[in-house]
C-alpha cells in the first residue's frame, strides 16, 4: 500500500477526532479500522470508526471503533467484506489495520481498560499511529505494549502536527 493510502486513512481518523467534544482533562483522538480481507492484497474497506467520548462512559477512540465493529451483524459484515464471506468478526479483525491519530493508551486514570489491551485482545494485525501520546496525563507505552504482543506498529510521517493539535484541542 502506498504512503498516500496510509495518509488518507489517517486523515479519516483526524476527521473522526474533529467530532470529539473537547475537554481539558483528555485528548481528542480519532480511529479507523481498515479490513483487508482475506489478505494484504485485498482492497481496503473501512470496517468501523470511532472518536474519544463518542460512546457513553469516558470512552476512547480505539475502544469505540472496536465496539462498533462488534455491533456489526453477520449480514453487515458480509456486505463490507463479501468475498470470501468471513466466518466471524474475529477472522476479519485478524486482517485489520488500525489507524489512530494518537498512540493507543497503555494506562487509564479512569480505571477502564487501556486501548492497547483492547487492540491486543482483538488480535488486530497492525497499528498505524499519527503521533506519540504526550506525557500530559500519563507516561504512555501503548506502542511498545502492542509490539510486545506481536502487533506490528507503524508510525506515519506527514501529519504529526495535525494529530497533536487535534489531540490537544480544548487544553
Amino acid at each position: 500500500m502506498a504512503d498516500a493510502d496510509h495518509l488518507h486513512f489517517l486523515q479519516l481518523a483526524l476527521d473522526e477526532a474533529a467530532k470529539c467534544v473537547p475537554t481539558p482533562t483528555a485528548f481528542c483522538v480519532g480511529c479507523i479500522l481498515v479490513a483487508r480481507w482475506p489478505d494484504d492484497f485485498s482492497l481496503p474497506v473501512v470496517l468501523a470508526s470511532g472518536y474519544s467520548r463518542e460512546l457513553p462512559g469516558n470512552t476512547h477512540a480505539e475502544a469505540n471503533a472496536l465496539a462498533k465493529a462488534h455491533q456489526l451483524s453477520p449480514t453487515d459484515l458480509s456486505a463490507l467484506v463479501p468475498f470470501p464471506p468471513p466466518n466471524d468478526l474475529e477472522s476479519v479483525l485478524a486482517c485489520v489495520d488500525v489507524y489512530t491519530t494518537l498512540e493507543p493508551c497503555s494506562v487509564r486514570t479512569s480505571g477502564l481498560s487501556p486501548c492497547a489491551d483492547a487492540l491486543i485482545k482483538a488480535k488486530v494485525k497492525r497499528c498505524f499511529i499519527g503521533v506519540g501520546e504526550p506525557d500530559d496525563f500519563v507516561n504512555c507505552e501503548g506502542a511498545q505494549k502492542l509490539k510486545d504482543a506481536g502487533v506490528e506498529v507503524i508510525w506515519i510521517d506527514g501529519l504529526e502536527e495535525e494529530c497533536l493539535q487535534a489531540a490537544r484541542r480544548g487544553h
Side-chain angles (χ1 to χ4, degrees):
M1 181 177 278
D3 288 346
D5 293 329
H6 295 304
L7 287 172
H8 167 72
F9 289 118
L10 187 57
Q11 183 60 58
L12 292 178
L14 273 168
D15 294 344
E16 288 296 306
K19 298 175 185 177
C20 294
V21 175
T23 177
T25 58
F27 294 117
C28 294
V29 181
C31 178
I32 302 288
L33 303 181
V34 178
R36 290 177 178 80
W37 175 263
D39 56 39
D40 282 346
F41 303 106
S42 303
L43 290 175
V45 175
V46 174
L47 186 65
S49 62
Y51 59 91
S52 302
R53 297 171 299 286
E54 176 182 9
L55 301 177
N58 191 25
T59 54
H60 284 191
E62 298 89 347
N64 289 337
L66 286 169
K68 289 162 73 176
H70 281 287
Q71 292 173 352
L72 292 171
S73 71
T75 303
D76 293 338
L77 189 58
S78 292
L80 288 170
V81 285
F83 186 81
N87 293 327
D88 54 29
L89 179 63
E90 288 70 30
S91 300
V92 176
L93 286 174
C95 297
V96 158
D97 289 337
V98 177
Y99 289 85
T100 184
T101 57
L102 194 69
E103 178 180 9
C105 66
S106 59
V107 176
R108 294 287 308 265
T109 58
S110 66
L112 296 173
S113 180
C115 292
D117 292 352
L119 295 173
I120 291 165
K121 183 179 177 184
K123 299 181 180 171
V124 299
K125 185 174 184 171
R126 294 182 288 215
C127 186
F128 293 84
I129 303 171
V131 71
E133 180 175 331
D135 294 335
D136 295 13
F137 306 114
V138 297
N139 180 18
C140 182
E141 298 176 352
Q144 189 59 52
K145 198 171 197 179
L146 291 169
K147 286 181 194 177
D148 291 346
V151 177
E152 185 179 356
V153 172
I154 299 144
W155 297 90
I156 298 179
D157 293 328
L159 292 173
E160 297 91 345
E161 286 301 315
E162 293 88 338
C163 289
L164 193 56
Q165 286 175 354
R168 286 189 164 145
R169 193 166 47 92
H171 291 196

